């Protein structure tokens, strides 16, 4: 029943900060014991996990990206956001938000539809 919806720009310039928001309905982002993830898929490549913020507000990031990443949440609006600074063309990808169960399961219905972001000057 949970629904996730990504929003944000479709084009950003190199060196700028990419900010995306995931709006969640049908479930609270503070509910035990879910993890709220950002995942991306560059063109022609597989899924790459970016990071998460969990039900208590704790965050964890992919070590290859963590120097440029911040994930935050707005519990009043039941949203969580990704901030990726100093973007480069290789950050071009479809970005997804997704809910993960405590046991590590991503269900088909717990993903947003994805939003394509292009980094180009």
């Amino acid at each position: 029943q949970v629904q996730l919806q990504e929003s944000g720009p479709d084009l950003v310039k190199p060196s700028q900060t990419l900010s995306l928001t995931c709006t969640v309905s049908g479930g609270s982002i503070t509910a035990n014991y879910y993890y709220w993830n950002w995942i991306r898929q560059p063109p022609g490549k597989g899924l790459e996990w970016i990071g998460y913020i969990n039900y208590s507000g704790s965050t964890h990031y992919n070590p290859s990206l963590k120097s440029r990443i911040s994930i935050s949440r707005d519990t009043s609006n039941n949203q969580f956001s990704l901030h990726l600074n100093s973007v480069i063309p290789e950050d071009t990808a479809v970005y997804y938000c997704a809910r993960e169960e405590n046991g590590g399961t991503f269900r088909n219905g717990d993903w947003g539809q994805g939003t394509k972001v292009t980094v180009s000057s």
Side-chain angles (χ1 to χ4, degrees), residues 68-117:
R68 299 192 289 131
I69 293 171
S70 177
I71 298 176
S72 60
R73 67 180 183 173
D74 180 350
T75 58
S76 296
N77 292 302
N78 211 37
Q79 298 174 325
F80 65 103
S81 297
L82 169 68
H83 306 278
L84 177 62
N85 61 40
S86 303
V87 299
I88 58 177
E90 289 74 20
D91 291 320
T92 295
V94 177
Y95 285 76
Y96 299 92
C97 54
R99 184 178 72 172
E100 177 187 3
E101 296 179 358
N102 189 47
T105 299
F106 291 89
R107 298 186 181 275
N108 289 340
D110 291 350
W111 293 66
Q113 84 286 352
T115 184
K116 184 179 180 180
V117 178

Side-chain angles (χ1 to χ4, degrees), residues 34-95:
Y34 295 110
Y35 291 68
W36 304 90
N37 293 260
W38 286 101
I39 300 158
R40 69 182 184 181
Q41 186 170 34
K45 299 182 179 180
L47 298 171
E48 179 183 30
W49 177 72
I50 298 171
Y52 68 68
I53 186 164
N54 75 3
Y55 56 94
S56 69
S58 296
T59 57
H60 190 62
Y61 307 132
N62 186 327
S64 69
L65 299 169
K66 64 181 179 182
S67 66
R68 299 192 289 131
I69 293 171
S70 177
I71 298 176
S72 60
R73 67 180 183 173
D74 180 350
T75 58
S76 296
N77 292 302
N78 211 37
Q79 298 174 325
F80 65 103
S81 297
L82 169 68
H83 306 278
L84 177 62
N85 61 40
S86 303
V87 299
I88 58 177
E90 289 74 20
D91 291 320
T92 295
V94 177
Y95 285 76

Side-chain angles (χ1 to χ4, degrees), residues 1-50:
Q1 188 166 342
V2 67
Q3 297 183 65
L4 291 79
Q5 177 70 57
E6 303 91 344
S7 62
D10 59 359
L11 178 66
V12 293
K13 297 182 181 299
S15 82
Q16 293 184 334
T17 295
L18 170 63
S19 294
L20 298 172
T21 296
C22 183
T23 300
V24 179
S25 61
S28 173
I29 62 172
T30 65
N32 298 342
Y33 298 95
Y34 295 110
Y35 291 68
W36 304 90
N37 293 260
W38 286 101
I39 300 158
R40 69 182 184 181
Q41 186 170 34
K45 299 182 179 180
L47 298 171
E48 179 183 30
W49 177 72
I50 298 171

